[in-house]
Amino acid sequence: MAKLTPRNEDYSKWYNELVTQTGLAENSKVRGCMVIKPYGYAIWEKMQQQLDKMFKETGHQNAYFPLFVPKSLFEAEEKNAEGFAKECAVVTHYRLKNDVENPGKLIVDPEAKLEEELVVRPTSEAIIWSTYKNWIQSYRDLPILINQWANVVRWEMRTRLFLRTAEFLWQEGHTAHANKEEAWDETKKMLDVYAEFVEEFMGIPVIKGTKTPNERFAGAEETLCIEALMQDGKALQAGTSHFLGQNFAKAFDVKFASKEGTLDYVWATSWGVSTRLIGALIMTHSDDNGLVLPPKLAPIQVVIVPIHRNDEQKNAIAEVALKLSNELKQKGISVKFDDDDNVKPGWKFNEYELKGVPLRIAIGPRDLENGQVEMARRDTLEKSFEKLEGLAETIEQKLDEIQENIFNKAKDFRANHTTEVSNFEEFKDVLENKTGFISAYWDGESETEEKIKAETKATIRCIPFSEVDLEGKVDFYSGNPAKFKVLYAKAY
Amino acid sequence: MAKLTPRNEDYSKWYNELVTQTGLAENSKVRGCMVIKPYGYAIWEKMQQQLDKMFKETGHQNAYFPLFVPKSLFEAEEKNAEGFAKECAVVTHYRLKNDVENPGKLIVDPEAKLEEELVVRPTSEAIIWSTYKNWIQSYRDLPILINQWANVVRWEMRTRLFLRTAEFLWQEGHTAHANKEEAWDETKKMLDVYAEFVEEFMGIPVIKGTKTPNERFAGAEETLCIEALMQDGKALQAGTSHFLGQNFAKAFDVKFASKEGTLDYVWATSWGVSTRLIGALIMTHSDDNGLVLPPKLAPIQVVIVPIHRNDEQKNAIAEVALKLSNELKQKGISVKFDDDDNVKPGWKFNEYELKGVPLRIAIGPRDLENGQVEMARRDTLEKSFEKLEGLAETIEQKLDEIQENIFNKAKDFRANHTTEVSNFEEFKDVLENKTGFISAYWDGESETEEKIKAETKATIRCIPFSEVDLEGKVDFYSGNPAKFKVLYAKAY
Ligand SMILES: [Zn+2]
Ligand SMILES: [Zn+2]
């Protein structure tokens, strides 16, 4: 194991080394696509399980729609099509054949050209709403509350493991409603579900808000989002929930007979989070020693490392360790007893620190005599001696403490890196020297936002939901009367 | 709800009506691709959960590899490439642009042609083994025991819901081993896992065996399979486990330093089951009234239908029903209390019969007086009165009985539709008039198999594992000395 490049030396290098050295993911031989390795996938599985539970508790069902979107369906909702057209993988042929000039090689068979090209889904509104058309006749068919776990492809030119990849895994909810209010309630409800998940399970504090028109999902009337702040002071959009209005219903002619006997267009929402969240998880909590995983999502929550000089000691420790393991498993805590003799304890300590295992228990012969173990917390790197008696309960409690501590730490960091500014000089200074969220008044003009972006690369991450008194306030850049108080930041 | 076409009138029509009317799946607007609807996906989720548990119990971890396979990697293992080349969806471009001649329409941007075409994975050996190359240096890196849940695409010309679709969902295990014996053990172990799952959870009896060279997976040294028999007398391959030898290691130059210090090619297996199994589930158990689901995979295991004339009765029944529901939920039994007043009980009876809910409980005011309920079993369509006292236990027991009964019924059907033949006339007669598996001696020649296929469409489904005395036995078709006793059938 090589030591990681420290964050303050090269944050981006630190991130890449961390992701690859911990076995979370790696770049594949397909441009922009990653391989999610077992340790990374195990985190994703834990995330999926929890999210899926929350989706089902809020009345949603899973289904699966095709990977491909015929071009004619793709282009039906014009803004959506325009937004994604520039980054679409397109299937044009359905067969390869032997290359007669290069034995053993294959070429695309020109005779197997598709009559209509197929877009590999960058998002599924088009294919899903063309399907919903046949499912919806009357108000009795509504609401439709469906979620899909799937892979999607967006041909990004500059990719980074988890944060931006050509193919990624996600879930996308697609709901259909009889009226605007219900669709809006759903949009907000799912943003709340995301915020709850990201804060309580990932330990990442988020700001809920609305996107500006410039940052809206292509085809949405409004996009709500949760925004998180990374340790390098850059923001990361952690989840979005879109109020789609009747745009897709109009594009695919999806009408329903209302209770009142009218024929109306259906109202829609869509919402999604992706493997990108794993990037946020890494960047929020980890340190120069490696990953720091929130206990609620750690594939291994506790590791037990025995320290012994002979077989007698080894057996005595193993007995205690296995008893503890069983007690922990009964509490639903995942534990690994690493009794591999080929590797020294010190090496194991480094390994599990790198991998972000929340609690490490070391047991030596002296510990047994004293009825105790050594416990090391990954978040604070603190070590303590803990009594063997009631150890499972102690561990359970410590895991809760760690979960809370990393959330609070991230919250403090965000508080310390959220700055109010009232003029452009301050704005640039904060962006350059302090980084983080910048809270400022905005005149509501896209032009203002665009100019600031062009000069500084910072964008409006969201218009937070909180009520603000705008009386007499002006945009710090244009000097025009303020319409909103917003959060700016450079973003991933 | 229209009545289903009876099986003996048009089996294939019955199947399609059943799949669509029960809301399991439907054809999409993408040629050959299906939409898996919530009820169908709920069954798949139950299957996934159980299989995933069994994979993990046998030491496997999940991971995720790219959807796309660059053509140069795809063609590296020649037999594998040859086997799948004719049915590959190929991505050739990564961008669409506005069609200047047709405002609002998009065309493929010719300037965004990929230097190397990408094949949408029909199976992942190529992309995975090109990745394993970097993961494997020494015997210490072995075995690698990885599974992937994914979508794959095979451009089939004639498709049928679940049974054969251009895109389908599956899992594919890909393991790497230091020696042949270990790889063979893995190949057989995973076949056993599949057989156990399909028999114990899906209630479908299977024959374990080996495929003939003609039916082998492209790129495998040997393919093991489990074969099931459908109610129309056609066989269905329910799962395959491949011993890949060193073929992929050689194609991608994957060598490891052995314990003994030699540099050897790695040994491989792969194994998979897919959403096709849902087709097998439907065709094995269902009847002219609709689906019959095995209790262990039924999204709703028990439905409770109240029958009442007034609110007083309604409330009294609801109280009993909710108490029962809670008891069942505590036992891990999924139950639905359908108290929708807009629909008559008779309509509900039909609906849940169609949807294959294993047990239906009807409760009327008279029943309450008598301390009983009416119970209807979906498998036998039998009705009985059961005491309210201890009803949760009675239900638990009945569900077990149903699970066992449908398995035994399918086993009896298979026994009655497995016929030994000793000459080609008998063979054709059975195929024509009785259908099912035909047990017969084979000379081991692909030519014989091919001639029989050309004349009858029947193929060798497998060479069952059982020991057979071949002394003096001859091939029923060629008259040559027998090398194997095999099972023939027409197949899905
Ligand atoms: Zn700072
Ligand atoms: Zn028969």
Side-chain angles (χ1 to χ4, degrees), chain A residues 365-432:
Chain A
R366 183 82 60 87
D367 295 323
L368 284 195
E369 280 167 31
N370 298 333
Q372 64 182 25
V373 301
E374 191 195 61
M375 180 184 286
R377 276 174 68 149
R378 178 61 186 92
D379 58 337
T380 58
L381 299 172
E382 281 167 2
K383 286 180 192 176
S384 61
F385 287 101
E386 302 291 341
K387 283 194 181 141
L388 261 173
E389 208 186 312
L391 185 54
E393 285 71 31
T394 310
I395 287 173
E396 199 173 24
Q397 213 177 310
K398 287 280 177 197
L399 290 173
D400 287 347
E401 269 178 47
I402 295 173
Q403 184 80 33
E404 210 181 313
N405 178 54
I406 62 171
F407 177 68
N408 288 334
K409 207 173 148 189
K411 227 170 154 178
D412 288 346
F413 177 87
R414 187 183 68 185
N416 291 334
H417 290 84
T418 302
T419 315
E420 301 244 356
V421 306
S422 53
N423 65 60
F424 193 45
E425 284 314 303
E426 270 177 47
F427 184 93
K428 285 188 288 189
D429 182 53
V430 170
L431 216 51
E432 191 78 13

Side-chain angles (χ1 to χ4, degrees), chain B residues 130-409:
Chain B
S130 69
T131 308
Y132 282 178
K133 180 177 170 55
N134 300 320
W135 295 4
I136 300 170
Q137 276 85 42
S138 122
Y139 69 92
R140 285 185 214 87
D141 302 318
L142 296 171
I144 294 177
L145 304 172
I146 282 184
N147 175 62
Q148 162 170 285
W149 291 97
N151 53 343
V152 285
V153 172
R154 297 176 185 177
W155 207 264
E156 305 277 0
M157 279 303 159
R158 299 170 67 197
T159 61
R160 291 192 67 188
L161 292 165
F162 290 119
L163 297 170
R164 175 168 275 117
T165 48
E167 181 193 14
F168 57 88
L169 302 182
W170 79 344
Q171 60 67 218
E172 46 182 328
H174 294 273
T175 70
H177 305 268
N179 61 61
K180 183 175 180 174
E181 196 198 346
E182 203 186 292
W184 255 117
D185 286 348
E186 170 79 7
T187 311
K188 284 182 273 187
K189 182 199 283 176
M190 298 321 290
L191 192 78
D192 288 343
V193 165
Y194 287 155
E196 188 187 335
F197 171 73
V198 174
E199 295 204 328
E200 289 187 20
F201 288 81
M202 308 192 73
I204 304 175
V206 292
I207 308 275
K208 296 186 212 174
T210 307
K211 285 284 180 197
T212 64
N214 275 348
E215 301 278 326
R216 218 174 258 161
F217 177 74
E221 300 266 300
E222 290 278 5
T223 288
L224 307 184
C225 64
I226 49 173
E227 294 286 325
L229 191 64
M230 303 295 100
Q231 289 183 63
D232 62 346
K234 281 167 87 172
L236 186 143
Q237 175 181 298
T240 48
S241 185
H242 314 295
F243 173 73
L244 303 174
Q246 296 174 311
N247 292 344
F248 285 90
K250 285 176 181 165
F252 293 99
D253 192 34
V254 189
K255 289 179 187 162
F256 73 103
S258 73
K259 252 182 195 163
E260 296 74 29
T262 56
L263 201 61
D264 301 331
Y265 284 113
V266 177
W267 299 83
T269 85
S270 69
W271 28 274
V273 297
S274 73
T275 37
R276 180 163 220 246
L277 278 179
I278 300 176
L281 185 75
I282 297 164
M283 288 200 300
T284 301
H285 305 304
S286 303
D287 62 25
D288 293 346
N289 300 321
L291 273 179
V292 175
L293 291 176
K296 287 186 183 175
L297 298 178
I300 304 166
Q301 294 173 298
V302 180
V303 63
I304 305 174
V305 177
I307 300 169
H308 52 81
R309 293 225 181 75
N310 55 49
D311 275 1
E312 193 188 337
Q313 291 177 357
K314 185 180 169 176
N315 294 336
I317 293 167
E319 197 180 314
V320 170
L322 291 175
K323 185 165 165 283
L324 175 63
S325 294
N326 285 333
E327 284 173 33
L328 291 174
K329 278 176 197 163
Q330 269 169 22
K331 288 176 177 291
I333 297 170
S334 69
V335 54
K336 177 174 173 179
F337 173 42
D338 186 349
D339 60 351
D340 182 355
D341 274 344
N342 296 315
V343 175
K344 294 214 169 122
W347 193 94
K348 293 179 188 171
F349 288 7
N350 284 335
E351 172 74 5
Y352 294 113
E353 193 167 287
L354 180 70
K355 289 206 154 184
V357 175
L359 276 181
R360 182 185 78 219
I361 306 290
I363 313 179
R366 182 82 58 87
D367 294 323
L368 285 195
E369 280 167 30
N370 299 331
Q372 65 182 23
V373 300
E374 190 195 62
M375 178 186 286
R377 276 174 68 151
R378 178 61 187 90
D379 60 335
T380 57
L381 299 172
E382 281 167 2
K383 287 180 192 175
S384 62
F385 287 102
E386 304 290 341
K387 284 194 181 140
L388 263 174
E389 209 188 308
L391 185 54
E393 286 72 31
T394 309
I395 286 172
E396 198 173 25
Q397 211 178 314
K398 287 280 176 197
L399 290 173
D400 287 346
E401 267 178 49
I402 294 172
Q403 185 79 33
E404 210 183 313
N405 178 54
I406 62 171
F407 177 67
N408 288 334
K409 207 173 148 189

Side-chain angles (χ1 to χ4, degrees), chain A residues 105-117:
Chain A
K105 303 288 175 185
L106 297 166
I107 52 168
V108 173
D109 185 345
E111 285 176 32
K113 191 170 189 300
L114 288 168
E115 276 182 44
E116 179 178 10
E117 294 89 349

